[in-house]
Structures are given as structure tokens and as C-alpha cells.
Amino acid sequence: MTLSSPLETEFQSRLGYYFDDPLLLRQALTHGSEARLPNYQRLEHLGDAVLDLAVSLWLYESNPDYTPGQLTTARAHYVCERALAQLARKWQLQYVLRCSTEADAAGVRESNHVLSDVTEAVIGALFLDTHNVFQVQSVVIPWLKQIV
């Protein structure tokens, strides 16, 4: 098993979760411009669905009087690109994102779109590492509450 880099270890400390499989985290933090490495895109796809479920479940359980429309509106505030990019900055993902020199020069580390995608990829990696949506909630929801 590959050990985490010092930056990845520092990130896990900030996150409040240490990956059993550090390769999942490494993939989640790798931009597609690093063509020789597995990148975050598949994990992003999974993370998007897991995040929707985790936030939906949390809102459902913590707001018993909300209508379906209110639940949908509330969820949208937590899972939108703006909120996820803010979360990425809180997690300081821009400093641990692996990307090519060209992509770095083009500003991918500061792109809300990329940071949002990487946040979803980290959530997907967290789910694969735990196979537990409740563990994902325990890590992610406290951070989201600070932003939205």
C-alpha cells in the first residue's frame, strides 16, 4: 500500500478522517491533466450521488416539518458548485490537487468548477473507503454547516 504524502496526511488531518486506502484519496486529488495517473472523474460521479444522499438524509431527519419542496431547496444550497468550492477552500484542496504544470498555470487550482468536482471526488473516495453513508455524513455535514 502506498503511504500518503505529507500534504495528503495534513489534508486528512484537516478533514478529520484518515483513509484506509490512501490510493483512493490520491486518485480523488488528481486532475485529468495528469494523464499518466488515475484521475478524480469517476470518483466525482460517485461522490455527487453520495453527497445528495447524505445531505438529503440529514435534512430529512433534522427537519421533520419540511415539505418535499423545502427539502429540495435546502439540499440545493448545500450541494451547489458555490458551496462545494467554498468547502474545498476550507479543506485547502487547492494545495493538494495534483495537476500538470500547464493546468496549474491555467488556474485550475482556483476554479470553482474544478474545486467543486474534486470535493465530490473526495466524498466518493470517502464512501468507497468506508462503504458507509453515515460515516460520510459525520465527516462532511459539520463542514457544510459552517459554509451554508
Side-chain angles (χ1 to χ4, degrees), residues 65-141:
D65 296 332
Y66 275 24
T67 65
Q70 289 172 310
L71 289 168
T72 299
T73 300
R75 182 184 63 216
H77 288 293
Y78 287 97
V79 302
C80 68
E81 182 177 289
R82 180 194 53 77
L84 295 180
Q86 284 181 298
L87 179 55
R89 288 184 176 90
K90 282 255 190 206
W91 285 348
Q92 299 178 15
L93 284 177
Q94 68 272 31
Y95 302 117
V96 292
L97 177 64
R98 299 164 66 112
C99 62
S100 70
T101 305
E102 296 80 13
D104 196 9
V108 298
R109 290 180 193 279
E110 294 304 321
S111 163
N112 281 350
H113 181 75
V114 170
L115 291 175
S116 171
D117 289 351
V118 173
T119 300
E120 288 176 335
V122 168
I123 292 167
L126 175 60
F127 178 74
L128 287 179
D129 202 55
T130 64
H131 289 93
N132 187 331
V133 72
F134 301 109
Q135 181 72 37
V136 172
Q137 281 183 312
S138 73
V139 172
V140 176
I141 299 300

Side-chain angles (χ1 to χ4, degrees), residues 19-68:
F19 282 77
D20 290 329
D21 183 353
L23 292 177
L24 283 171
L25 176 60
R26 182 154 301 154
Q27 181 177 349
L29 298 174
T30 302
H31 185 262
S33 64
E34 284 285 359
R36 70 190 196 292
L37 301 172
N39 67 54
Y40 67 73
Q41 292 175 330
R42 285 176 47 87
L43 288 171
E44 173 200 349
H45 175 77
L46 178 62
D48 177 61
V50 170
L51 179 63
D52 274 352
L53 176 60
V55 170
S56 294
L57 183 59
W58 166 65
L59 290 170
Y60 181 87
E61 291 176 341
S62 60
N63 300 286
D65 296 332
Y66 275 24
T67 65

